[in-house]
Amino acid sequence: MSDVLTISDTLTVEGGRPLSGEITVRGAKNLVSKAMVAALLGETPSELLNVPDIRDVEVVSGLLSIHGVGVEHDHEAGILRLDPSNVESAHVADIDAHAGSSRIPILFCGPLLHRLGEAFIPDLGGCRIGDRPIDYHLNILREFGAIVDKQPSGIALSAPRGLKGTVIDLPYPSVGATEQTLLTAVRAEGRTELRGAATEPEIMDLIAVLQKMGAIISVDTDRTIRIDGVDRLVGFRHRSLADRIEAASWASAALATGGDILVKGATQPEMMTFLNTFRKVGGAFDVLDDGIRFWHQGGDLTPIVLETGVHPGFMTDWQQPLVVALTQAEGLSIVHETVYENRFGFTEALRGMGANIQVYRDCLGGSSCRFGQRNFFHSAVISGRTPLTAADIEVPDLRGGFSHLIAALAADGTSNVRGIQLINRGYEHFMDKLEALGAAATLKA
Ligand code: EPZ
C-alpha cells in the first residue's frame, strides 16, 4: 500500500484551497469484506475484482489466512484470489490479533459452522458510533440451530446437529444481520425466510456473489428474502460494485472546499438518493461513462432538512462528510440520524473550528424514529454559513475522521489532524488522492 501509516500519524493540512482534479474509487469496502467471507463457503477457489487497497481488506485477508484459506492479493490490479480448500479452525489468540477493530469476524460464524461445525469470535470492535451490539446476529445463529456459548475471551459456537432453515423476523433492517442470515442460510438444510431484511446495494451484490456460487435466493419488494439451502457451493468470479460511500465523501469534499472533482469509477444507480440531496444543497454533478463529476457552482449553498435511513434512504455513512458542506450553506439545516444513536460525536471538533451546530435528543425534521424517546443526541441543527478556522483535531472514527479532514481542507489556516491512520480502513490511497486534488497536506512522522 502506498499509505502505510503508523499509530502516531498526524496530517498537517493547509486549508482554504478548493480540491480539484480527478481520482478513482474502486470496490465497496462493505461488499468486498463480505464477499471475501462468502468465499469460505465454496468448494473451489474464488476471484474478487475491483478490490481496494484498504486496511479492512488486509484484516479480513489475515482472518481468512489463519483459517487455512489461501489468499493472493494483486494490489495494483485489485484482484484477490481466495482458495478455501483447506479451511481449518484458528487459535483464539490469532483471531484476536487479526480481528483488530473489525466487526467482520461475526460474519465468519455461519460459514465456519458449515465448514467445521464450530466457530469462535473475539470481542468485536468497529467504529465508535453507538453501542453496535451483536444480539441480532447471535439470535439468528440460534434460530438456525447453533449453540452459542459466551466465554470471557469471546463467543464459542457449535452446531452438532447442523444448521436448519428457519423464519427470521428482524426488528430493524440491519445490514449485518441480513448478511449473517444470507451467509448461513445458503448452506442450511431447507428454506429460510427473512422478513424485514436490509436491501442495500452491497447486500444485493452479495446475493449476486452467492447466486454465482450456486445459491437460490429471491428478494421480494416487501423486504422478505427467501433462501433455499443447497448442499454445495462453488467458487465465484465477481467484480465488486463501486464504493458509493467513498464517492460521496469526495463529492462532499468538493462542495465544502468550493472545488471540482471527477470521481472515476463512481456509479449512478447506487447513488441516486445522494445525488438528489447533493443537487438540493446546490452542488452540481455530471454522470459520465466512467464516473461522476461533482462541483460547487459558485454562489450560496442551500440549507436542507435531511433524514438518514436504510436503503433506499440517505445512507448514514454519507451524513458526516455532507454535514461539513452544510456548515457552508446559508441558513438552517436539520439532520436527523435514524440508523445509529450516536453518530454526531464528530460535530464537536467542527464546533471548535467555528461551525454552529447544535445536537438534540428529539427527532427533528418531521418523522420520529426508535431513538426518539431515549437519551441520544441524534438530531443536529447546522446554522450557516460559518467560516471554518484551522484546529488540532483527533480522528474519532472512519467517516467522522474523513469529515474532519474535509473541514481542515476547507478551513483557513493550518490544522493538525491526529490518528489519521483510521481513515485508511475505508479510503484507499487517500494521501495520493489528496495530492492529485491539489491539497496541501503532509504527514508528520
Ligand atoms: C454496516 O454496519 C456497515 N458496515 C456500516 O458502515 C453502515 O453504517 C451500516 O451497515 C448501515 O448502513 C459494514 O458493512 C462493515 P447495521 P452494520 O447492522 O452491519 C443495530 C462504515 O463506516 N443493531 O445495519 O454493523 C445497530 O446498532 C460502516 O463503512 C443491533 O441493534 O450495521 C444500528 O443501530 C460504519 N443489533 C442498526 O442496527 C445487532 O445485532 C443498523 O446496524 C446489529 C445491529
Side-chain angles (χ1 to χ4, degrees):
M1 299 177 91
S2 62
D3 300 322
V4 179
L5 304 174
T6 59
I7 211 83
S8 62
D9 281 330
T10 297
L11 195 66
T12 303
V13 179
E14 247 180 71
R17 305 178 181 204
L19 290 190
S20 294
E22 180 181 311
I23 49 138
T24 300
V25 297
R26 294 202 278 185
K29 161 175 103 60
N30 292 346
L31 175 274
V32 166
S33 48
K34 324 298 171 64
M36 290 173 73
V37 179
L40 267 175
L41 289 160
E43 285 176 12
T44 52
S46 289
E47 204 169 59
L48 190 55
L49 315 180
N50 205 23
V51 175
D53 251 348
I54 51 171
R55 177 86 190 114
D56 270 22
V57 168
E58 280 180 21
V59 168
V60 185
S61 295
L63 284 167
L64 287 171
S65 296
I66 60 169
H67 284 96
V69 177
V71 180
E72 266 178 56
H73 190 173
D74 179 338
H75 293 263
E76 208 170 310
I79 301 177
L80 256 181
R81 290 185 190 85
L82 304 166
D83 184 353
S85 321
N86 299 306
V87 172
E88 60 190 18
S89 292
H91 295 294
V92 175
D94 285 345
I95 302 175
D96 241 342
H98 279 82
S101 61
S102 171
R103 280 170 61 85
I104 297 295
I106 186 80
L107 294 179
F108 275 63
C109 293
L112 285 180
L113 285 171
H114 285 303
R115 293 294 303 253
L116 304 169
E118 60 178 22
F120 178 84
I121 46 160
D123 281 340
L124 295 174
C127 285
R128 298 184 300 266
I129 50 178
D131 263 357
R132 304 198 73 187
I134 55 168
D135 52 337
Y136 300 167
H137 294 258
L138 297 181
N139 288 342
I140 288 166
L141 290 161
R142 285 192 191 99
E143 289 283 342
F144 279 104
I147 296 169
V148 177
D149 180 16
K150 291 190 184 169
Q151 300 174 355
S153 54
I155 300 168
L157 296 110
S158 58
R161 288 193 207 91
L163 299 171
K164 295 195 173 44
T166 180
V167 176
I168 295 164
D169 240 315
L170 285 184
Y172 182 80
S174 148
V175 169
T178 300
E179 293 161 343
Q180 180 73 260
T181 307
L182 289 168
L183 290 166
T184 308
V186 283
R187 284 272 325 269
E189 192 190 318
R191 171 169 284 198
T192 296
E193 183 172 293
L194 174 64
R195 300 175 188 154
T199 58
E200 268 60 10
E202 292 75 17
I203 289 176
M204 301 314 285
D205 213 31
L206 179 64
I207 291 176
V209 166
L210 293 167
Q211 189 178 50
K212 285 177 176 175
M213 297 179 79
I216 302 170
I217 303 170
S218 65
V219 184
D220 274 357
T221 46
D222 66 350
R223 293 192 179 277
T224 302
I225 298 181
R226 289 185 188 81
I227 305 116
D228 287 316
V230 295
D231 290 340
R232 63 182 292 262
L233 294 169
V234 293
F236 62 84
R237 184 166 197 276
H238 188 78
R239 183 181 165 82
S240 166
L241 84 170
D243 198 311
R244 63 195 174 120
I245 308 178
E246 186 184 354
S249 300
W250 290 112
S252 295
L255 208 53
T257 64
D260 185 337
I261 304 182
L262 168 58
V263 185
K264 288 178 97 173
T267 46
Q268 183 183 20
E270 301 81 26
M271 294 191 72
M272 291 252 175
T273 307
F274 178 82
L275 295 174
N276 286 334
T277 302
F278 192 78
R279 183 168 275 161
K280 281 185 197 160
V281 178
F285 64 87
D286 196 5
V287 179
L288 307 168
D289 288 349
D290 60 348
I292 305 180
R293 179 184 156 213
F294 298 92
W295 72 98
H296 190 301
Q297 307 187 80
D300 290 342
L301 297 180
T302 312
I304 50 163
V305 177
L306 178 68
E307 181 168 288
T308 66
V310 294
H311 188 75
F314 190 93
M315 285 189 93
T316 168
D317 304 282
W318 289 333
Q319 175 259 105
Q320 292 151 304
L322 191 73
V323 162
V324 183
L326 291 178
T327 66
Q328 303 307 301
E330 280 298 334
L332 279 189
S333 292
I334 296 174
V335 179
H336 180 203
E337 169 62 56
T338 75
V339 180
Y340 289 114
E341 70 274 25
N342 182 20
R343 220 173 185 186
F344 282 123
F346 74 102
T347 58
E348 200 181 318
L350 299 187
R351 270 193 295 280
M353 297 175 81
N356 188 345
I357 304 177
Q358 259 111 43
V359 288
Y360 296 88
R361 291 189 184 88
D362 314 75
C363 298
L364 299 183
S367 57
S368 54
C369 77
R370 66 207 160 108
F371 306 136
Q373 302 309 317
R374 299 161 66 193
N375 208 16
F376 301 122
F377 290 93
H378 71 293
S379 293
V381 175
I382 303 128
S383 173
R385 175 179 187 218
T386 48
L388 297 175
T389 47
D392 287 351
I393 342 169
E394 176 94 39
V395 166
D397 61 66
L398 177 60
R399 307 299 168 195
F402 198 83
S403 308
H404 289 173
L405 191 55
I406 297 176
L409 290 160
D412 272 338
T414 304
S415 298
N416 291 306
V417 190
R418 279 194 311 276
I420 203 82
Q421 80 286 342
L422 250 183
I423 293 180
N424 237 5
R425 279 194 48 207
Y427 294 90
E428 80 164 340
H429 306 160
F430 72 91
M431 285 301 300
D432 296 344
K433 291 180 186 176
L434 286 176
E435 199 184 321
L437 296 173
T442 44
L443 273 178
K444 268 191 196 169

